[in-house]
Amino acid sequence: MSEEIKKAAIIGGGVIGGGWAARLVLNGIDVNVFDPSEEAEQNLVEMLSNAQKAYSKLTMAPLLKPGKMQFVNTIEAAVQGIMFIQESVPENPDLKRNVLEEIDNYASKQALICSSTSGIKPSQLQVGMKNPQRFMVGHPFNPVYLLPLVEICGGEKTSMESKQRAAEFYHEIGMKPLILRKEIDAFIADRLQEAVWREGLWLIRDDVATTEELDDAIRFGFGLRWAQMGLFETYRMAGGKAGMRHFISQFGPTLSWPWTRLMDVPELNQELIDKIVEQSDKQSGKNSIRDLERIRDENLVAIMQGLKLQDWGAGAVLKDYEEHLYTKAHSGVFKSEPDFSEPLRLYESVVPPDWLDYNGHMNESRYLQVFGDASDAMLHFIGMDEEYRSQDFSFYTVETHIRHLNEVGGSEPLMVETQLLGFDEKRIRINHVMIHPPSGKMLATGEHMFLHVNTEKGRAVQMGKAIYEKLEKIWKGHQNLTIPEYSGKGIMQLKTHGNENAT
């Protein structure tokens, strides 16, 4: 870790200070916290609990042993002997100056002192310091323990060495430090946010949109693009193969159109155009537009799939869309009641290219996916649709046994035949056979047991009458089918070296 900083101080334990404390503790750093508020300790304990839950899902890498968090009664006690100090008191210049001067008096001369201010220039805050060269702004974003960006802005008296040391430390605790080239009010990110905020206020005042509609415009649209590629790289792609220069030629003139209340914009002269194009080429030039488009698409899919797990925002839209796709796919399998004297054929597909392993064959995890999709088709066929699940009922898979029998390559067709092996009021047992239609080869089999549950109560309950009656109809035919000889069996034991009695 940078300079072996093992202990830090947090001055101000509100939302931002608490977020800093949580990030530091979860990165194995002991933290002294000073905050005169009576609620501060309880708030930080609760915030740390939330951060721990988030980190348990954030990465599969082994986390460090958490540091210790200690609450102290004075700034002096918090900062003595500490090499990294983060000030996060309320956004009041006089208050911050007083607190920072006190920190400066008691801290080691080598200690780094950073302020979490959202917009106050560091030169205004370091005027009374004895050692101003080690002070700078380290502006984070809420929640601090998750969002990686931290803007580092030095004042007139801040040394470059101190900014580099701070950047190294922030990087060690999982952050993306951005050192500003110039000292400006509100730094970079807040100035961008402020522009959107100001325009939003006008749109609300003029009854153009509500707060919810404005948030939806961001989170279902450009917010997703910005999350993975930012503003200028996104616009570079909008220019097609000609890139940023073509985009500016197309949309640059709109800067003078009354599209916004914020009309104080720089003149888009040749000098500025050349600067933007040069920087954009340096930023993105190693990738073609087609490359960038593929990267963008994969990133957006990953983001929306992640949001789908939370049933939130664009992920909720994707989930709803999938429900409609399943409904259409499954409802179109049979135009009339099928012949239940034969296995059900509810799933057909082809092997997509991204399902292939290094040998060019469908990888083993996709066999399970196919059987999972075929199970969904079966459950939907018997009546477990979106309306049924909305009543807090569902089927959970409690046992699966897959046999991998043959390989199948990319773009090859698949079909699954499904046989009902048995059922009662709470359970269903089925067997899938995956077939390669052109050759008739059996590719795999999958035997599954489902348990009907009340999802809200988390326990097994009797299935609905309509589903039970549908299973009875299927069973009248399937009970006469031959039960596969492999059903109900586990993995065959092998005779191993040194164990002649194994069977």
Side-chain angles (χ1 to χ4, degrees), residues 405-437:
L405 304 176
N406 277 296
E407 300 165 337
V408 61
S411 301
E412 290 292 317
L414 301 174
M415 179 180 67
V416 176
E417 292 185 345
T418 302
Q419 178 181 348
L420 179 62
L421 298 178
F423 73 102
D424 59 25
E425 294 177 336
K426 297 181 182 179
R427 297 174 297 177
I428 303 174
R429 182 174 162 228
I430 66 172
N431 183 66
H432 293 309
V433 178
M434 189 190 306
I435 298 169
H436 179 241

PDB file of all heavy atoms in Angstrom, residues 405-437:
ATOM      1  N   LEU A 405     -23.629 -36.094 -23.382  1.00  0.00           N
ATOM      2  CA  LEU A 405     -23.443 -37.283 -24.203  1.00  0.00           C
ATOM      3  C   LEU A 405     -22.715 -37.020 -25.511  1.00  0.00           C
ATOM      4  O   LEU A 405     -21.935 -37.850 -25.968  1.00  0.00           O
ATOM      5  CB  LEU A 405     -24.810 -37.914 -24.503  1.00  0.00           C
ATOM      6  CG  LEU A 405     -25.658 -38.264 -23.273  1.00  0.00           C
ATOM      7  CD1 LEU A 405     -27.017 -38.788 -23.707  1.00  0.00           C
ATOM      8  CD2 LEU A 405     -24.938 -39.279 -22.403  1.00  0.00           C
ATOM      9  N   ASN A 406     -22.992 -35.871 -26.147  1.00  0.00           N
ATOM     10  CA  ASN A 406     -22.366 -35.579 -27.437  1.00  0.00           C
ATOM     11  C   ASN A 406     -22.078 -34.084 -27.556  1.00  0.00           C
ATOM     12  O   ASN A 406     -22.714 -33.265 -26.884  1.00  0.00           O
ATOM     13  CB  ASN A 406     -23.272 -36.022 -28.595  1.00  0.00           C
ATOM     14  CG  ASN A 406     -23.135 -37.500 -28.905  1.00  0.00           C
ATOM     15  OD1 ASN A 406     -22.064 -37.953 -29.309  1.00  0.00           O
ATOM     16  ND2 ASN A 406     -24.210 -38.252 -28.705  1.00  0.00           N
ATOM     17  N   GLU A 407     -21.139 -33.770 -28.441  1.00  0.00           N
ATOM     18  CA  GLU A 407     -20.789 -32.373 -28.672  1.00  0.00           C
ATOM     19  C   GLU A 407     -21.699 -31.776 -29.742  1.00  0.00           C
ATOM     20  O   GLU A 407     -22.254 -32.498 -30.582  1.00  0.00           O
ATOM     21  CB  GLU A 407     -19.328 -32.268 -29.125  1.00  0.00           C
ATOM     22  CG  GLU A 407     -18.329 -32.806 -28.110  1.00  0.00           C
ATOM     23  CD  GLU A 407     -16.960 -33.025 -28.713  1.00  0.00           C
ATOM     24  OE1 GLU A 407     -16.884 -33.190 -29.951  1.00  0.00           O
ATOM     25  OE2 GLU A 407     -15.965 -33.043 -27.958  1.00  0.00           O
ATOM     26  N   VAL A 408     -21.809 -30.456 -29.714  1.00  0.00           N
ATOM     27  CA  VAL A 408     -22.556 -29.764 -30.765  1.00  0.00           C
ATOM     28  C   VAL A 408     -21.864 -28.439 -31.046  1.00  0.00           C
ATOM     29  O   VAL A 408     -21.381 -27.767 -30.132  1.00  0.00           O
ATOM     30  CB  VAL A 408     -24.039 -29.553 -30.355  1.00  0.00           C
ATOM     31  CG1 VAL A 408     -24.155 -28.708 -29.099  1.00  0.00           C
ATOM     32  CG2 VAL A 408     -24.836 -28.964 -31.506  1.00  0.00           C
ATOM     33  N   GLY A 409     -21.772 -28.081 -32.317  1.00  0.00           N
ATOM     34  CA  GLY A 409     -21.032 -26.888 -32.719  1.00  0.00           C
ATOM     35  C   GLY A 409     -21.910 -25.662 -32.870  1.00  0.00           C
ATOM     36  O   GLY A 409     -23.139 -25.703 -32.703  1.00  0.00           O
ATOM     37  N   GLY A 410     -21.276 -24.544 -33.192  1.00  0.00           N
ATOM     38  CA  GLY A 410     -21.974 -23.279 -33.356  1.00  0.00           C
ATOM     39  C   GLY A 410     -22.949 -23.295 -34.514  1.00  0.00           C
ATOM     40  O   GLY A 410     -22.712 -23.944 -35.541  1.00  0.00           O
ATOM     41  N   SER A 411     -24.059 -22.604 -34.333  1.00  0.00           N
ATOM     42  CA  SER A 411     -25.125 -22.454 -35.333  1.00  0.00           C
ATOM     43  C   SER A 411     -25.871 -23.756 -35.617  1.00  0.00           C
ATOM     44  O   SER A 411     -26.711 -23.802 -36.519  1.00  0.00           O
ATOM     45  CB  SER A 411     -24.579 -21.885 -36.650  1.00  0.00           C
ATOM     46  OG  SER A 411     -23.974 -20.624 -36.429  1.00  0.00           O
ATOM     47  N   GLU A 412     -25.582 -24.811 -34.860  1.00  0.00           N
ATOM     48  CA  GLU A 412     -26.299 -26.072 -35.029  1.00  0.00           C
ATOM     49  C   GLU A 412     -27.639 -26.012 -34.299  1.00  0.00           C
ATOM     50  O   GLU A 412     -27.761 -25.406 -33.239  1.00  0.00           O
ATOM     51  CB  GLU A 412     -25.472 -27.241 -34.486  1.00  0.00           C
ATOM     52  CG  GLU A 412     -24.246 -27.567 -35.304  1.00  0.00           C
ATOM     53  CD  GLU A 412     -24.619 -28.122 -36.665  1.00  0.00           C
ATOM     54  OE1 GLU A 412     -25.531 -28.966 -36.757  1.00  0.00           O
ATOM     55  OE2 GLU A 412     -24.004 -27.690 -37.669  1.00  0.00           O
ATOM     56  N   PRO A 413     -28.684 -26.660 -34.851  1.00  0.00           N
ATOM     57  CA  PRO A 413     -30.003 -26.623 -34.209  1.00  0.00           C
ATOM     58  C   PRO A 413     -30.085 -27.547 -33.004  1.00  0.00           C
ATOM     59  O   PRO A 413     -29.386 -28.562 -32.932  1.00  0.00           O
ATOM     60  CB  PRO A 413     -30.942 -27.084 -35.328  1.00  0.00           C
ATOM     61  CG  PRO A 413     -30.091 -27.952 -36.193  1.00  0.00           C
ATOM     62  CD  PRO A 413     -28.709 -27.358 -36.147  1.00  0.00           C
ATOM     63  N   LEU A 414     -30.956 -27.180 -32.064  1.00  0.00           N
ATOM     64  CA  LEU A 414     -31.220 -27.972 -30.870  1.00  0.00           C
ATOM     65  C   LEU A 414     -32.721 -28.141 -30.709  1.00  0.00           C
ATOM     66  O   LEU A 414     -33.506 -27.269 -31.078  1.00  0.00           O
ATOM     67  CB  LEU A 414     -30.691 -27.277 -29.610  1.00  0.00           C
ATOM     68  CG  LEU A 414     -29.210 -26.933 -29.505  1.00  0.00           C
ATOM     69  CD1 LEU A 414     -28.971 -26.116 -28.243  1.00  0.00           C
ATOM     70  CD2 LEU A 414     -28.382 -28.204 -29.475  1.00  0.00           C
ATOM     71  N   MET A 415     -33.121 -29.242 -30.110  1.00  0.00           N
ATOM     72  CA  MET A 415     -34.514 -29.452 -29.746  1.00  0.00           C
ATOM     73  C   MET A 415     -34.530 -30.216 -28.427  1.00  0.00           C
ATOM     74  O   MET A 415     -33.655 -31.065 -28.191  1.00  0.00           O
ATOM     75  CB  MET A 415     -35.238 -30.255 -30.826  1.00  0.00           C
ATOM     76  CG  MET A 415     -36.701 -30.546 -30.508  1.00  0.00           C
ATOM     77  SD  MET A 415     -37.482 -31.506 -31.839  1.00  0.00           S
ATOM     78  CE  MET A 415     -36.615 -33.066 -31.694  1.00  0.00           C
ATOM     79  N   VAL A 416     -35.504 -29.928 -27.568  1.00  0.00           N
ATOM     80  CA  VAL A 416     -35.611 -30.617 -26.290  1.00  0.00           C
ATOM     81  C   VAL A 416     -36.972 -31.296 -26.205  1.00  0.00           C
ATOM     82  O   VAL A 416     -38.013 -30.666 -26.436  1.00  0.00           O
ATOM     83  CB  VAL A 416     -35.425 -29.653 -25.104  1.00  0.00           C
ATOM     84  CG1 VAL A 416     -35.650 -30.392 -23.777  1.00  0.00           C
ATOM     85  CG2 VAL A 416     -34.026 -29.041 -25.126  1.00  0.00           C
ATOM     86  N   GLU A 417     -36.965 -32.597 -25.896  1.00  0.00           N
ATOM     87  CA  GLU A 417     -38.190 -33.341 -25.623  1.00  0.00           C
ATOM     88  C   GLU A 417     -38.321 -33.504 -24.113  1.00  0.00           C
ATOM     89  O   GLU A 417     -37.348 -33.864 -23.432  1.00  0.00           O
ATOM     90  CB  GLU A 417     -38.158 -34.705 -26.294  1.00  0.00           C
ATOM     91  CG  GLU A 417     -38.214 -34.624 -27.819  1.00  0.00           C
ATOM     92  CD  GLU A 417     -38.295 -35.994 -28.473  1.00  0.00           C
ATOM     93  OE1 GLU A 417     -38.014 -37.000 -27.777  1.00  0.00           O
ATOM     94  OE2 GLU A 417     -38.637 -36.061 -29.658  1.00  0.00           O
ATOM     95  N   THR A 418     -39.513 -33.246 -23.584  1.00  0.00           N
ATOM     96  CA  THR A 418     -39.716 -33.232 -22.143  1.00  0.00           C
ATOM     97  C   THR A 418     -40.753 -34.274 -21.746  1.00  0.00           C
ATOM     98  O   THR A 418     -41.860 -34.306 -22.302  1.00  0.00           O
ATOM     99  CB  THR A 418     -40.190 -31.847 -21.675  1.00  0.00           C
ATOM    100  OG1 THR A 418     -39.211 -30.865 -22.056  1.00  0.00           O
ATOM    101  CG2 THR A 418     -40.370 -31.806 -20.171  1.00  0.00           C
ATOM    102  N   GLN A 419     -40.380 -35.107 -20.777  1.00  0.00           N
ATOM    103  CA  GLN A 419     -41.269 -36.155 -20.277  1.00  0.00           C
ATOM    104  C   GLN A 419     -41.570 -35.920 -18.804  1.00  0.00           C
ATOM    105  O   GLN A 419     -40.662 -35.677 -17.999  1.00  0.00           O
ATOM    106  CB  GLN A 419     -40.612 -37.533 -20.470  1.00  0.00           C
ATOM    107  CG  GLN A 419     -41.447 -38.694 -19.941  1.00  0.00           C
ATOM    108  CD  GLN A 419     -40.760 -40.030 -20.138  1.00  0.00           C
ATOM    109  OE1 GLN A 419     -39.758 -40.120 -20.857  1.00  0.00           O
ATOM    110  NE2 GLN A 419     -41.283 -41.083 -19.508  1.00  0.00           N
ATOM    111  N   LEU A 420     -42.844 -35.975 -18.456  1.00  0.00           N
ATOM    112  CA  LEU A 420     -43.254 -35.886 -17.059  1.00  0.00           C
ATOM    113  C   LEU A 420     -43.060 -37.250 -16.416  1.00  0.00           C
ATOM    114  O   LEU A 420     -43.672 -38.250 -16.834  1.00  0.00           O
ATOM    115  CB  LEU A 420     -44.721 -35.456 -16.967  1.00  0.00           C
ATOM    116  CG  LEU A 420     -45.329 -35.324 -15.562  1.00  0.00           C
ATOM    117  CD1 LEU A 420     -44.598 -34.259 -14.749  1.00  0.00           C
ATOM    118  CD2 LEU A 420     -46.826 -35.002 -15.664  1.00  0.00           C
ATOM    119  N   LEU A 421     -42.195 -37.325 -15.393  1.00  0.00           N
ATOM    120  CA  LEU A 421     -41.906 -38.588 -14.712  1.00  0.00           C
ATOM    121  C   LEU A 421     -42.786 -38.811 -13.497  1.00  0.00           C
ATOM    122  O   LEU A 421     -42.911 -39.949 -13.021  1.00  0.00           O
ATOM    123  CB  LEU A 421     -40.435 -38.637 -14.291  1.00  0.00           C
ATOM    124  CG  LEU A 421     -39.394 -38.569 -15.421  1.00  0.00           C
ATOM    125  CD1 LEU A 421     -37.990 -38.583 -14.837  1.00  0.00           C
ATOM    126  CD2 LEU A 421     -39.587 -39.701 -16.410  1.00  0.00           C
ATOM    127  N   GLY A 422     -43.376 -37.745 -12.990  1.00  0.00           N
ATOM    128  CA  GLY A 422     -44.231 -37.871 -11.817  1.00  0.00           C
ATOM    129  C   GLY A 422     -44.511 -36.517 -11.199  1.00  0.00           C
ATOM    130  O   GLY A 422     -43.833 -35.534 -11.505  1.00  0.00           O
ATOM    131  N   PHE A 423     -45.531 -36.466 -10.327  1.00  0.00           N
ATOM    132  CA  PHE A 423     -45.859 -35.213  -9.641  1.00  0.00           C
ATOM    133  C   PHE A 423     -46.780 -35.517  -8.467  1.00  0.00           C
ATOM    134  O   PHE A 423     -47.409 -36.588  -8.394  1.00  0.00           O
ATOM    135  CB  PHE A 423     -46.530 -34.230 -10.611  1.00  0.00           C
ATOM    136  CG  PHE A 423     -47.944 -34.579 -10.992  1.00  0.00           C
ATOM    137  CD1 PHE A 423     -49.026 -33.918 -10.421  1.00  0.00           C
ATOM    138  CD2 PHE A 423     -48.200 -35.586 -11.916  1.00  0.00           C
ATOM    139  CE1 PHE A 423     -50.322 -34.252 -10.763  1.00  0.00           C
ATOM    140  CE2 PHE A 423     -49.498 -35.916 -12.285  1.00  0.00           C
ATOM    141  CZ  PHE A 423     -50.570 -35.253 -11.698  1.00  0.00           C
ATOM    142  N   ASP A 424     -46.804 -34.589  -7.529  1.00  0.00           N
ATOM    143  CA  ASP A 424     -47.811 -34.611  -6.474  1.00  0.00           C
ATOM    144  C   ASP A 424     -48.242 -33.183  -6.230  1.00  0.00           C
ATOM    145  O   ASP A 424     -48.004 -32.310  -7.074  1.00  0.00           O
ATOM    146  CB  ASP A 424     -47.303 -35.308  -5.205  1.00  0.00           C
ATOM    147  CG  ASP A 424     -46.051 -34.658  -4.613  1.00  0.00           C
ATOM    148  OD1 ASP A 424     -45.822 -33.447  -4.854  1.00  0.00           O
ATOM    149  OD2 ASP A 424     -45.287 -35.352  -3.916  1.00  0.00           O
ATOM    150  N   GLU A 425     -48.862 -32.883  -5.110  1.00  0.00           N
ATOM    151  CA  GLU A 425     -49.432 -31.549  -4.879  1.00  0.00           C
ATOM    152  C   GLU A 425     -48.381 -30.459  -4.734  1.00  0.00           C
ATOM    153  O   GLU A 425     -48.681 -29.278  -4.877  1.00  0.00           O
ATOM    154  CB  GLU A 425     -50.331 -31.575  -3.640  1.00  0.00           C
ATOM    155  CG  GLU A 425     -51.582 -32.440  -3.827  1.00  0.00           C
ATOM    156  CD  GLU A 425     -52.416 -32.510  -2.576  1.00  0.00           C
ATOM    157  OE1 GLU A 425     -51.850 -32.312  -1.469  1.00  0.00           O
ATOM    158  OE2 GLU A 425     -53.635 -32.748  -2.684  1.00  0.00           O
ATOM    159  N   LYS A 426     -47.118 -30.832  -4.455  1.00  0.00           N
ATOM    160  CA  LYS A 426     -46.067 -29.832  -4.233  1.00  0.00           C
ATOM    161  C   LYS A 426     -44.849 -30.023  -5.135  1.00  0.00           C
ATOM    162  O   LYS A 426     -43.998 -29.139  -5.175  1.00  0.00           O
ATOM    163  CB  LYS A 426     -45.609 -29.854  -2.768  1.00  0.00           C
ATOM    164  CG  LYS A 426     -46.681 -29.479  -1.759  1.00  0.00           C
ATOM    165  CD  LYS A 426     -46.133 -29.509  -0.338  1.00  0.00           C
ATOM    166  CE  LYS A 426     -47.216 -29.173   0.676  1.00  0.00           C
ATOM    167  NZ  LYS A 426     -46.693 -29.232   2.062  1.00  0.00           N
ATOM    168  N   ARG A 427     -44.751 -31.149  -5.851  1.00  0.00           N
ATOM    169  CA  ARG A 427     -43.528 -31.447  -6.580  1.00  0.00           C
ATOM    170  C   ARG A 427     -43.824 -31.893  -8.009  1.00  0.00           C
ATOM    171  O   ARG A 427     -44.882 -32.461  -8.289  1.00  0.00           O
ATOM    172  CB  ARG A 427     -42.727 -32.543  -5.864  1.00  0.00           C
ATOM    173  CG  ARG A 427     -42.235 -32.152  -4.479  1.00  0.00           C
ATOM    174  CD  ARG A 427     -41.589 -33.323  -3.778  1.00  0.00           C
ATOM    175  NE  ARG A 427     -42.552 -34.416  -3.563  1.00  0.00           N
ATOM    176  CZ  ARG A 427     -42.244 -35.598  -3.016  1.00  0.00           C
ATOM    177  NH1 ARG A 427     -40.985 -35.844  -2.657  1.00  0.00           N
ATOM    178  NH2 ARG A 427     -43.154 -36.526  -2.843  1.00  0.00           N
ATOM    179  N   ILE A 428     -42.840 -31.612  -8.876  1.00  0.00           N
ATOM    180  CA  ILE A 428     -42.887 -32.088 -10.262  1.00  0.00           C
ATOM    181  C   ILE A 428     -41.524 -32.677 -10.592  1.00  0.00           C
ATOM    182  O   ILE A 428     -40.481 -32.080 -10.285  1.00  0.00           O
ATOM    183  CB  ILE A 428     -43.183 -30.954 -11.257  1.00  0.00           C
ATOM    184  CG1 ILE A 428     -44.487 -30.240 -10.931  1.00  0.00           C
ATOM    185  CG2 ILE A 428     -43.222 -31.493 -12.684  1.00  0.00           C
ATOM    186  CD1 ILE A 428     -44.736 -29.018 -11.807  1.00  0.00           C
ATOM    187  N   ARG A 429     -41.520 -33.826 -11.247  1.00  0.00           N
ATOM    188  CA  ARG A 429     -40.270 -34.456 -11.685  1.00  0.00           C
ATOM    189  C   ARG A 429     -40.348 -34.659 -13.185  1.00  0.00           C
ATOM    190  O   ARG A 429     -41.311 -35.247 -13.699  1.00  0.00           O
ATOM    191  CB  ARG A 429     -40.078 -35.796 -10.971  1.00  0.00           C
ATOM    192  CG  ARG A 429     -38.783 -36.511 -11.332  1.00  0.00           C
ATOM    193  CD  ARG A 429     -38.609 -37.751 -10.467  1.00  0.00           C
ATOM    194  NE  ARG A 429     -37.649 -38.669 -11.052  1.00  0.00           N
ATOM    195  CZ  ARG A 429     -37.852 -39.983 -11.207  1.00  0.00           C
ATOM    196  NH1 ARG A 429     -39.001 -40.513 -10.841  1.00  0.00           N
ATOM    197  NH2 ARG A 429     -36.924 -40.741 -11.732  1.00  0.00           N
ATOM    198  N   ILE A 430     -39.353 -34.127 -13.907  1.00  0.00           N
ATOM    199  CA  ILE A 430     -39.359 -34.227 -15.365  1.00  0.00           C
ATOM    200  C   ILE A 430     -38.003 -34.698 -15.861  1.00  0.00           C
ATOM    201  O   ILE A 430     -37.000 -34.641 -15.141  1.00  0.00           O
ATOM    202  CB  ILE A 430     -39.706 -32.879 -16.037  1.00  0.00           C
ATOM    203  CG1 ILE A 430     -38.604 -31.835 -15.766  1.00  0.00           C
ATOM    204  CG2 ILE A 430     -41.073 -32.380 -15.610  1.00  0.00           C
ATOM    205  CD1 ILE A 430     -38.787 -30.546 -16.556  1.00  0.00           C
ATOM    206  N   ASN A 431     -37.995 -35.133 -17.130  1.00  0.00           N
ATOM    207  CA  ASN A 431     -36.746 -35.480 -17.791  1.00  0.00           C
ATOM    208  C   ASN A 431     -36.709 -34.810 -19.153  1.00  0.00           C
ATOM    209  O   ASN A 431     -37.672 -34.891 -19.933  1.00  0.00           O
ATOM    210  CB  ASN A 431     -36.617 -36.996 -17.978  1.00  0.00           C
ATOM    211  CG  ASN A 431     -35.283 -37.376 -18.602  1.00  0.00           C
ATOM    212  OD1 ASN A 431     -34.241 -37.191 -17.992  1.00  0.00           O
ATOM    213  ND2 ASN A 431     -35.326 -37.895 -19.818  1.00  0.00           N
ATOM    214  N   HIS A 432     -35.604 -34.097 -19.431  1.00  0.00           N
ATOM    215  CA  HIS A 432     -35.384 -33.479 -20.728  1.00  0.00           C
ATOM    216  C   HIS A 432     -34.398 -34.324 -21.536  1.00  0.00           C
ATOM    217  O   HIS A 432     -33.421 -34.865 -20.977  1.00  0.00           O
ATOM    218  CB  HIS A 432     -34.747 -32.090 -20.582  1.00  0.00           C
ATOM    219  CG  HIS A 432     -35.618 -31.058 -19.952  1.00  0.00           C
ATOM    220  ND1 HIS A 432     -36.903 -30.797 -20.370  1.00  0.00           N
ATOM    221  CD2 HIS A 432     -35.370 -30.184 -18.929  1.00  0.00           C
ATOM    222  CE1 HIS A 432     -37.406 -29.814 -19.651  1.00  0.00           C
ATOM    223  NE2 HIS A 432     -36.506 -29.432 -18.770  1.00  0.00           N
ATOM    224  N   VAL A 433     -34.623 -34.416 -22.833  1.00  0.00           N
ATOM    225  CA  VAL A 433     -33.661 -35.014 -23.750  1.00  0.00           C
ATOM    226  C   VAL A 433     -33.329 -33.972 -24.808  1.00  0.00           C
ATOM    227  O   VAL A 433     -34.214 -33.513 -25.536  1.00  0.00           O
ATOM    228  CB  VAL A 433     -34.218 -36.284 -24.422  1.00  0.00           C
ATOM    229  CG1 VAL A 433     -33.194 -36.836 -25.408  1.00  0.00           C
ATOM    230  CG2 VAL A 433     -34.563 -37.340 -23.375  1.00  0.00           C
ATOM    231  N   MET A 434     -32.065 -33.567 -24.883  1.00  0.00           N
ATOM    232  CA  MET A 434     -31.620 -32.599 -25.879  1.00  0.00           C
ATOM    233  C   MET A 434     -31.183 -33.349 -27.135  1.00  0.00           C
ATOM    234  O   MET A 434     -30.351 -34.260 -27.059  1.00  0.00           O
ATOM    235  CB  MET A 434     -30.459 -31.761 -25.333  1.00  0.00           C
ATOM    236  CG  MET A 434     -30.077 -30.584 -26.224  1.00  0.00           C
ATOM    237  SD  MET A 434     -28.518 -29.775 -25.706  1.00  0.00           S
ATOM    238  CE  MET A 434     -28.835 -29.416 -23.988  1.00  0.00           C
ATOM    239  N   ILE A 435     -31.743 -32.952 -28.268  1.00  0.00           N
ATOM    240  CA  ILE A 435     -31.536 -33.672 -29.519  1.00  0.00           C
ATOM    241  C   ILE A 435     -30.991 -32.731 -30.587  1.00  0.00           C
ATOM    242  O   ILE A 435     -31.344 -31.552 -30.629  1.00  0.00           O
ATOM    243  CB  ILE A 435     -32.860 -34.301 -30.006  1.00  0.00           C
ATOM    244  CG1 ILE A 435     -33.363 -35.328 -28.979  1.00  0.00           C
ATOM    245  CG2 ILE A 435     -32.712 -34.954 -31.372  1.00  0.00           C
ATOM    246  CD1 ILE A 435     -34.777 -35.801 -29.233  1.00  0.00           C
ATOM    247  N   HIS A 436     -30.129 -33.281 -31.456  1.00  0.00           N
ATOM    248  CA  HIS A 436     -29.644 -32.576 -32.628  1.00  0.00           C
ATOM    249  C   HIS A 436     -30.518 -33.038 -33.799  1.00  0.00           C
ATOM    250  O   HIS A 436     -30.323 -34.156 -34.343  1.00  0.00           O
ATOM    251  CB  HIS A 436     -28.174 -32.919 -32.874  1.00  0.00           C
ATOM    252  CG  HIS A 436     -27.594 -32.256 -34.075  1.00  0.00           C
ATOM    253  ND1 HIS A 436     -27.083 -32.959 -35.145  1.00  0.00           N
ATOM    254  CD2 HIS A 436     -27.442 -30.934 -34.391  1.00  0.00           C
ATOM    255  CE1 HIS A 436     -26.634 -32.122 -36.063  1.00  0.00           C
ATOM    256  NE2 HIS A 436     -26.848 -30.886 -35.635  1.00  0.00           N
ATOM    257  N   PRO A 437     -31.540 -32.241 -34.209  1.00  0.00           N
ATOM    258  CA  PRO A 437     -32.536 -32.711 -35.182  1.00  0.00           C
ATOM    259  C   PRO A 437     -31.967 -33.259 -36.492  1.00  0.00           C
ATOM    260  O   PRO A 437     -32.442 -34.309 -36.970  1.00  0.00           O
ATOM    261  CB  PRO A 437     -33.402 -31.469 -35.416  1.00  0.00           C
ATOM    262  CG  PRO A 437     -33.295 -30.701 -34.147  1.00  0.00           C
ATOM    263  CD  PRO A 437     -31.885 -30.913 -33.695  1.00  0.00           C
TER     264      PRO A 437
END
